[in-house]
PDB file of all heavy atoms in Angstrom:
ATOM      1  N   ASP A  81     -12.436 -26.379  -5.032  1.00 76.00           N
ATOM      2  CA  ASP A  81     -12.382 -26.738  -6.433  1.00 76.00           C
ATOM      3  C   ASP A  81     -12.815 -25.355  -7.145  1.00 76.00           C
ATOM      4  O   ASP A  81     -13.861 -24.739  -6.760  1.00 76.00           O
ATOM      5  CB  ASP A  81     -13.598 -27.715  -6.577  1.00 76.00           C
ATOM      6  CG  ASP A  81     -13.670 -28.248  -7.994  1.00 76.00           C
ATOM      7  OD1 ASP A  81     -13.209 -27.538  -8.936  1.00 76.00           O
ATOM      8  OD2 ASP A  81     -14.143 -29.359  -8.196  1.00 76.00           O
ATOM      9  N   PRO A  82     -12.100 -25.035  -8.244  1.00 72.00           N
ATOM     10  CA  PRO A  82     -12.462 -23.796  -8.985  1.00 72.00           C
ATOM     11  C   PRO A  82     -13.910 -23.914  -9.490  1.00 72.00           C
ATOM     12  O   PRO A  82     -14.549 -22.811  -9.738  1.00 72.00           O
ATOM     13  CB  PRO A  82     -11.424 -23.803 -10.165  1.00 72.00           C
ATOM     14  CG  PRO A  82     -10.249 -24.657  -9.743  1.00 72.00           C
ATOM     15  CD  PRO A  82     -10.910 -25.675  -8.746  1.00 72.00           C
ATOM     16  N   GLU A  83     -14.494 -25.037  -9.634  1.00 80.00           N
ATOM     17  CA  GLU A  83     -15.877 -25.221 -10.060  1.00 80.00           C
ATOM     18  C   GLU A  83     -16.816 -24.539  -9.035  1.00 80.00           C
ATOM     19  O   GLU A  83     -17.951 -24.143  -9.369  1.00 80.00           O
ATOM     20  CB  GLU A  83     -16.221 -26.693 -10.093  1.00 80.00           C
ATOM     21  CG  GLU A  83     -15.643 -27.433 -11.272  1.00 80.00           C
ATOM     22  CD  GLU A  83     -16.194 -27.108 -12.653  1.00 80.00           C
ATOM     23  OE1 GLU A  83     -17.423 -27.189 -12.768  1.00 80.00           O
ATOM     24  OE2 GLU A  83     -15.422 -26.736 -13.532  1.00 80.00           O
ATOM     25  N   ASP A  84     -16.356 -24.367  -7.769  1.00 77.00           N
ATOM     26  CA  ASP A  84     -17.100 -23.615  -6.709  1.00 77.00           C
ATOM     27  C   ASP A  84     -17.592 -22.262  -7.281  1.00 77.00           C
ATOM     28  O   ASP A  84     -18.603 -21.733  -6.768  1.00 77.00           O
ATOM     29  CB  ASP A  84     -16.381 -23.485  -5.445  1.00 77.00           C
ATOM     30  CG  ASP A  84     -16.176 -24.825  -4.803  1.00 77.00           C
ATOM     31  OD1 ASP A  84     -16.650 -25.832  -5.268  1.00 77.00           O
ATOM     32  OD2 ASP A  84     -15.497 -24.876  -3.759  1.00 77.00           O
ATOM     33  N   LEU A  85     -16.763 -21.668  -8.046  1.00 76.00           N
ATOM     34  CA  LEU A  85     -17.024 -20.330  -8.521  1.00 76.00           C
ATOM     35  C   LEU A  85     -18.335 -20.288  -9.291  1.00 76.00           C
ATOM     36  O   LEU A  85     -18.953 -19.172  -9.313  1.00 76.00           O
ATOM     37  CB  LEU A  85     -15.835 -19.829  -9.413  1.00 76.00           C
ATOM     38  CG  LEU A  85     -14.808 -19.059  -8.833  1.00 76.00           C
ATOM     39  CD1 LEU A  85     -13.665 -18.844  -9.829  1.00 76.00           C
ATOM     40  CD2 LEU A  85     -15.278 -17.721  -8.342  1.00 76.00           C
ATOM     41  N   LYS A  86     -18.752 -21.387  -9.733  1.00 80.00           N
ATOM     42  CA  LYS A  86     -19.971 -21.416 -10.630  1.00 80.00           C
ATOM     43  C   LYS A  86     -21.213 -21.064  -9.794  1.00 80.00           C
ATOM     44  O   LYS A  86     -22.269 -20.673 -10.292  1.00 80.00           O
ATOM     45  CB  LYS A  86     -20.147 -22.773 -11.282  1.00 80.00           C
ATOM     46  CG  LYS A  86     -19.243 -22.910 -12.385  1.00 80.00           C
ATOM     47  CD  LYS A  86     -19.521 -24.305 -13.273  1.00 80.00           C
ATOM     48  CE  LYS A  86     -18.551 -24.336 -14.458  1.00 80.00           C
ATOM     49  NZ  LYS A  86     -18.529 -25.656 -14.992  1.00 80.00           N
ATOM     50  N   SER A  87     -21.084 -21.333  -8.464  1.00 81.00           N
ATOM     51  CA  SER A  87     -22.317 -21.022  -7.649  1.00 81.00           C
ATOM     52  C   SER A  87     -22.278 -19.558  -7.106  1.00 81.00           C
ATOM     53  O   SER A  87     -23.214 -19.205  -6.424  1.00 81.00           O
ATOM     54  CB  SER A  87     -22.273 -21.971  -6.326  1.00 81.00           C
ATOM     55  OG  SER A  87     -21.068 -21.707  -5.652  1.00 81.00           O
ATOM     56  N   ALA A  88     -21.302 -18.810  -7.559  1.00 83.00           N
ATOM     57  CA  ALA A  88     -21.194 -17.347  -7.009  1.00 83.00           C
ATOM     58  C   ALA A  88     -22.187 -16.532  -7.660  1.00 83.00           C
ATOM     59  O   ALA A  88     -22.628 -16.799  -8.880  1.00 83.00           O
ATOM     60  CB  ALA A  88     -19.801 -16.849  -7.295  1.00 83.00           C
ATOM     61  N   ASP A  89     -22.692 -15.529  -7.014  1.00 86.00           N
ATOM     62  CA  ASP A  89     -23.670 -14.657  -7.479  1.00 86.00           C
ATOM     63  C   ASP A  89     -23.116 -13.540  -8.436  1.00 86.00           C
ATOM     64  O   ASP A  89     -21.811 -13.367  -8.493  1.00 86.00           O
ATOM     65  CB  ASP A  89     -24.588 -14.063  -6.471  1.00 86.00           C
ATOM     66  CG  ASP A  89     -23.932 -13.224  -5.488  1.00 86.00           C
ATOM     67  OD1 ASP A  89     -22.790 -12.634  -5.864  1.00 86.00           O
ATOM     68  OD2 ASP A  89     -24.439 -13.004  -4.418  1.00 86.00           O
ATOM     69  N   ASP A  90     -23.935 -12.786  -9.119  1.00 89.00           N
ATOM     70  CA  ASP A  90     -23.481 -11.778 -10.087  1.00 89.00           C
ATOM     71  C   ASP A  90     -22.555 -10.737  -9.510  1.00 89.00           C
ATOM     72  O   ASP A  90     -21.554 -10.340 -10.050  1.00 89.00           O
ATOM     73  CB  ASP A  90     -24.586 -11.196 -10.841  1.00 89.00           C
ATOM     74  CG  ASP A  90     -25.264 -12.055 -11.849  1.00 89.00           C
ATOM     75  OD1 ASP A  90     -24.706 -13.193 -11.952  1.00 89.00           O
ATOM     76  OD2 ASP A  90     -26.353 -11.743 -12.340  1.00 89.00           O
ATOM     77  N   SER A  91     -22.926 -10.247  -8.324  1.00 89.00           N
ATOM     78  CA  SER A  91     -22.175  -9.148  -7.661  1.00 89.00           C
ATOM     79  C   SER A  91     -20.797  -9.670  -7.276  1.00 89.00           C
ATOM     80  O   SER A  91     -19.788  -8.972  -7.433  1.00 89.00           O
ATOM     81  CB  SER A  91     -22.942  -8.571  -6.487  1.00 89.00           C
ATOM     82  OG  SER A  91     -22.374  -8.932  -5.279  1.00 89.00           O
ATOM     83  N   PHE A  92     -20.709 -10.942  -6.868  1.00 88.00           N
ATOM     84  CA  PHE A  92     -19.407 -11.502  -6.551  1.00 88.00           C
ATOM     85  C   PHE A  92     -18.488 -11.585  -7.768  1.00 88.00           C
ATOM     86  O   PHE A  92     -17.342 -11.230  -7.823  1.00 88.00           O
ATOM     87  CB  PHE A  92     -19.621 -12.926  -5.938  1.00 88.00           C
ATOM     88  CG  PHE A  92     -18.327 -13.523  -5.526  1.00 88.00           C
ATOM     89  CD1 PHE A  92     -17.770 -13.361  -4.276  1.00 88.00           C
ATOM     90  CD2 PHE A  92     -17.636 -14.305  -6.468  1.00 88.00           C
ATOM     91  CE1 PHE A  92     -16.626 -14.064  -3.975  1.00 88.00           C
ATOM     92  CE2 PHE A  92     -16.408 -14.919  -6.077  1.00 88.00           C
ATOM     93  CZ  PHE A  92     -15.951 -14.834  -4.869  1.00 88.00           C
ATOM     94  N   ILE A  93     -19.169 -12.053  -8.849  1.00 88.00           N
ATOM     95  CA  ILE A  93     -18.388 -12.213 -10.123  1.00 88.00           C
ATOM     96  C   ILE A  93     -17.884 -10.901 -10.617  1.00 88.00           C
ATOM     97  O   ILE A  93     -16.787 -10.716 -11.126  1.00 88.00           O
ATOM     98  CB  ILE A  93     -19.283 -12.890 -11.207  1.00 88.00           C
ATOM     99  CG1 ILE A  93     -19.669 -14.410 -10.790  1.00 88.00           C
ATOM    100  CG2 ILE A  93     -18.591 -12.868 -12.582  1.00 88.00           C
ATOM    101  CD1 ILE A  93     -18.461 -15.287 -10.742  1.00 88.00           C
TER     102      ILE A  93
END
Side-chain angles (χ1 to χ4, degrees):
D81 186 337
E83 291 284 309
D84 292 352
L85 267 173
K86 286 187 176 162
S87 62
D89 64 23
D90 286 354
S91 105
F92 181 91
I93 297 292

